[in-house]
Amino acid sequence: MSMFSTGILVLTSPLQTLPLRIAPVLSSAAQLVDRTLYVHLHPGLNLTSGTQPRPVFIPPVVDLSTLITRLYNNAADVCGHLDVRVLLTNIRAQPAASGGAATPNCPFPTPQPLFHSPDVVLTDFALQDPHQSHQVQQCLEKYTGHCYVCRPGISSVLLHPQLVKLQENEEAPESGEEQKAEPIETYSDVVVGGTFDRLHGAHKTLLSISCLLANRRFVIGVCDQAMLKKKVLKELIEPYSVRVQRLQEFLQDTKPSLQVEIVPLEDPFGVSIVDPQLKCIVVSEETRRGGEAVNTKRAENDLPLLVLHEIQLLKDAHRNEIEEEKISSSSLRSRLLGNLLIPPKGSPHLPPTPYVIGLTGGSGSGKSSVAKQLEVLGAVQIECDKLGHEVYQPGAQCYQKVLQVFGLEILNEDKTINRRALASKVFGNQARLKCLTDIVWPEIAILVKQAINQARKEGRKVCVVDAAVLLEAGWTDLVHEVWVIIIPEEEAVTRIIERDGVSKEDALRRLQSQWPSSKQVKHANVVLSTLWESEVTRKQVLKAWNLLQKRILKTKG
Ligand SMILES: *[C@@H]1O[C@H](CO)[C@@H](O)[C@H](O)[C@H]1NC(C)=O
């Protein structure tokens, strides 16, 4: 059970042994903290030296950037639910002594405020003598209070007393010939670019290393509009403003002294090829070519070239078959599929049973195959397309109304409505189309309600209303939850052409007459995608179904 919401972990092991300890220390921290875990680095800090230790400047060395990468990597593995942030205010070359003794050499002239005030301080400091623990805790609380604004009455925990043993087994760093740590080259102005969707370990590594490299200004290009078109599951990308806000908050915590400039990226280069002051661009293995392209453009623009600083990307221990190996936003987005993204709005006007899912998605999205799978899992499938045919039958209420408005010329010889003739009458004419849907949709809604009532009489627990126009027709009132299926437009076009044998233009026109998936997703409680192999879809649907069962149980208390 977690006892604290925000913790700050003070890491004191020497830089040489620290990498070995991060995973066990993080996993015990994760048992105490459940939201934000700040990490403060002070390798070699001694909490039993007899005097109250003070924060000092830690020079940025290559080992530190390796450590930070390792830290975010391990965090993703052992405490993925925690928002881990490595704080870098004290990581800086020792400022040159500036004559006056009045300026004490302290990275924190006043305690730094953090977005979440820590309510516990943790440390990896290994205690030799258990009797000292109270004194060490006091010393630690005082030290931390000197650096950061903490909750009053903050408590402290010494993690892993068993690490003492671990330490004995570790090879002691060969004292005496301790190699001089290799300093990191730093730059006045550093630039990076990216989508920064759902800020995760790889982003944080990129941002933190950039903070280590930057002395003065940090410019971040964030993909907007045009740059998102080709992204996988783009409908689930957080809005630009949300992504920017997350970045600002993270960097304000990480290194408040930096001048951070966040600008929208509308093309792959953006600010990086026009800003003469930039000195260094931080890239990963996969964006290195992009960095080289930036320099080509800068050369064309007569601007000084940027130093390319390449970071290592993290491997993701939790990936599944549709995810790439590195931690990426698109794999995080794919994990959202089938999850409850927005809680149901609450439908007091609907009987609780059967629980009704409104399933929708554009043409070619694979909606009917998902509906079929849900049926196999136990849901009653209500196909609105079929009900739509019924309401056009002679004798149905709609029949007369439609004839009155659109004339007898839409009839077949057998007096049934020729839907093709009707469609050509309304095509491209918004007013006539609305006139038709105003007649037909309410009738279909009545049939849907009847089908749901029938399912209730039969004691069925879940209904799936399979409706392409669920949202347009405002049928969300008929359902407890809305599930939306998305696929990229090109894929939908390919599928429509293949399935219906129509031209590309016709397929596109059909898609353009429907709500775009980005608009549908805004109304979705659950999002699914049939973009991958059918086995992946099947697992996704099963996951969504199992989560749904849990929700239904919960609403019944
Ligand atoms: C801390 O300082 C004390 C007193 O100088 C010393 O005995 C102890 O070994 C030091 N501990 C560490 C972990 O360096």
Side-chain angles (χ1 to χ4, degrees):
M1 273 291 110
S2 294
M3 290 174 282
F4 304 98
S5 128
T6 300
I8 181 158
L9 171 62
V10 176
L11 288 176
T12 68
S13 304
L15 260 187
Q16 297 88 335
T17 55
L18 205 40
L20 290 170
R21 314 205 142 183
I22 293 173
V25 165
L26 284 178
S27 71
S28 36
Q31 288 163 23
L32 296 166
V33 176
D34 63 11
R35 185 184 62 187
T36 312
L37 181 68
Y38 290 110
V39 179
H40 173 87
L41 300 166
H42 190 152
L45 176 68
N46 187 342
L47 294 167
T48 53
S49 68
T51 56
Q52 176 64 41
R54 293 287 175 132
V56 296
F57 285 105
I58 311 290
V61 294
V62 172
D63 285 347
L64 258 179
S65 73
T66 317
L67 177 76
I68 290 168
T69 307
R70 172 84 76 113
L71 219 150
Y72 283 121
N73 193 1
N74 286 337
D77 290 345
V78 305
C79 53
H81 64 290
L82 281 184
D83 178 6
V84 174
R85 303 181 184 184
V86 182
L87 300 169
L88 300 172
T89 296
N90 61 325
I91 313 292
R92 209 175 91 188
Q94 202 82 6
S98 55
T103 52
N105 220 351
C106 177
F108 302 94
T110 58
Q112 176 186 336
L114 298 168
F115 262 85
H116 307 282
S117 301
D119 34 29
V120 65
V121 46
L122 315 165
T123 186
D124 65 333
F125 186 75
L127 204 56
Q128 253 90 25
D129 175 0
H131 296 296
Q132 287 181 312
S133 91
H134 179 67
Q135 181 198 330
V136 165
Q137 278 172 291
Q138 274 193 324
C139 184
L140 177 65
E141 288 159 26
K142 211 162 167 188
Y143 171 87
T144 312
H146 210 97
C147 306
Y148 305 101
V149 178
C150 299
R151 290 265 155 100
I154 188 168
S155 42
S156 56
V157 178
L158 307 178
L159 298 170
H160 265 287
Q162 65 264 39
L163 277 183
V164 178
K165 244 189 264 154
L166 206 145
Q167 191 181 38
E168 285 160 4
N169 296 337
E170 282 163 12
E171 292 165 40
E174 288 128 71
S175 46
E177 59 146 321
E178 232 173 85
Q179 307 127 319
K180 264 262 175 267
E182 189 190 335
I184 292 181
E185 188 78 42
T186 61
Y187 308 90
S188 61
D189 299 69
V190 172
V191 65
V192 299
T195 308
F196 298 103
D197 179 37
R198 300 169 203 279
L199 211 57
H200 54 64
H203 295 139
K204 290 176 181 178
T205 306
L206 177 73
L207 295 169
S208 301
I209 304 287
S210 304
C211 283
L212 280 185
L213 298 172
N215 291 323
R216 185 177 75 92
R217 193 169 68 116
F218 183 21
V219 180
I220 306 172
V222 176
C223 294
D224 197 10
Q225 309 291 355
M227 289 292 289
L228 303 177
K229 285 217 175 90
K230 294 273 171 213
K231 304 264 177 200
V232 179
L233 300 174
K234 57 178 184 294
E235 296 86 349
L236 296 177
I237 295 176
E238 294 171 318
Y240 179 81
S241 60
V242 171
R243 288 177 282 135
V244 167
Q245 197 187 338
R246 297 250 159 88
L247 281 170
Q248 271 161 344
E249 186 190 307
F250 179 83
L251 293 166
Q252 181 68 30
D253 271 344
T254 305
K255 192 167 174 179
S257 63
L258 273 188
Q259 180 187 332
V260 172
E261 286 172 24
I262 301 179
V263 290
L265 265 187
E266 297 287 2
D267 63 67
F269 301 109
V271 68
S272 69
I273 58 166
V274 291
D275 189 322
Q277 292 179 339
L278 296 175
K279 301 289 186 301
C280 167
I281 184 165
V282 185
V283 295
S284 63
E285 196 182 343
E286 76 162 14
T287 60
R288 180 166 193 102
R289 287 181 153 210
E292 283 160 2
V294 164
N295 270 342
T296 309
K297 294 270 181 190
R298 283 182 75 90
E300 287 167 19
N301 292 351
D302 278 329
L303 291 176
L305 300 191
L306 303 179
V307 172
L308 261 62
H309 184 102
E310 184 174 324
I311 62 157
Q312 300 298 312
L313 273 176
L314 311 174
K315 294 253 194 290
D316 185 351
H318 300 286
R319 77 200 155 95
N320 62 36
E321 69 255 56
I322 57 171
E323 299 172 0
E324 300 155 67
E325 191 171 14
K326 64 179 178 57
I327 292 187
S328 74
S329 302
S330 57
S331 45
L332 288 183
R333 285 197 294 280
S334 75
R335 281 176 216 174
L336 297 176
L337 298 172
N339 285 1
L340 186 68
L341 300 180
I342 307 170
K345 62 196 181 314
S347 314
H349 61 288
L350 291 181
T353 315
Y355 199 80
V356 186
I357 304 299
L359 183 68
T360 192
S363 291
S365 64
K367 185 169 56 66
S368 17
S369 88
V370 169
K372 284 262 147 48
Q373 292 176 40
L374 289 167
E375 193 177 25
V376 170
L377 290 167
V380 175
Q381 191 192 354
I382 300 172
E383 287 175 86
C384 291
D385 202 33
K386 269 203 190 140
L387 299 181
H389 287 282
E390 269 179 46
V391 298
Y392 287 117
Q393 294 307 310
Q397 292 217 359
C398 275
Y399 183 81
Q400 286 307 329
K401 289 191 203 159
V402 170
L403 285 192
Q404 275 164 21
V405 176
F406 294 97
L408 293 172
E409 64 264 34
I410 58 161
L411 283 185
N412 290 317
E413 290 200 351
D414 63 357
K415 300 280 187 235
T416 56
I417 289 174
N418 181 334
R419 302 233 291 166
R420 190 156 292 186
L422 181 57
S424 69
K425 285 218 165 218
V426 298
F427 188 81
N429 185 325
Q430 284 301 319
R432 276 205 225 141
L433 181 62
K434 183 173 182 319
C435 184
L436 177 61
T437 55
D438 281 350
I439 298 172
V440 175
W441 284 348
E443 292 296 323
I444 299 179
I446 289 171
L447 296 182
V448 169
K449 281 186 208 164
Q450 283 172 0
I452 296 171
N453 285 335
Q454 182 60 29
R456 180 175 314 108
K457 284 193 200 119
E458 291 167 10
R460 306 297 293 267
K461 300 282 183 283
V462 179
C463 287
V464 172
V465 176
D466 168 358
V469 295
L470 185 88
L471 300 169
E472 290 96 321
W475 291 339
T476 45
D477 282 348
L478 303 177
V479 304
H480 293 94
E481 287 184 19
V482 173
W483 292 16
V484 171
I485 305 175
I486 56 173
I487 55 160
E489 189 177 83
E490 314 83 79
E491 176 66 18
V493 167
T494 309
R495 288 184 191 181
I496 296 171
I497 293 173
E498 217 166 89
R499 187 188 61 192
D500 302 342
V502 298
S503 69
K504 188 175 175 187
E505 290 67 38
D506 283 345
L508 272 172
R509 211 173 299 141
R510 194 182 308 172
L511 287 172
Q512 275 148 17
S513 70
Q514 306 169 340
W515 279 22
S517 47
S518 55
K519 187 170 172 189
Q520 295 188 332
V521 160
K522 295 204 170 82
H523 298 261
N525 301 106
V526 173
V527 174
L528 301 166
S529 179
T530 60
L531 181 56
W532 301 276
E533 295 79 53
S534 53
E535 185 54 21
V536 176
T537 306
R538 208 185 57 77
K539 281 189 188 161
Q540 223 182 83
V541 173
L542 185 61
K543 170 185 169 190
W545 176 260
N546 289 335
L547 292 170
L548 171 72
Q549 298 307 314
K550 283 190 199 153
R551 284 202 289 286
I552 294 176
L553 276 182
K554 228 196 256 162
T555 53
K556 301 222 166 104

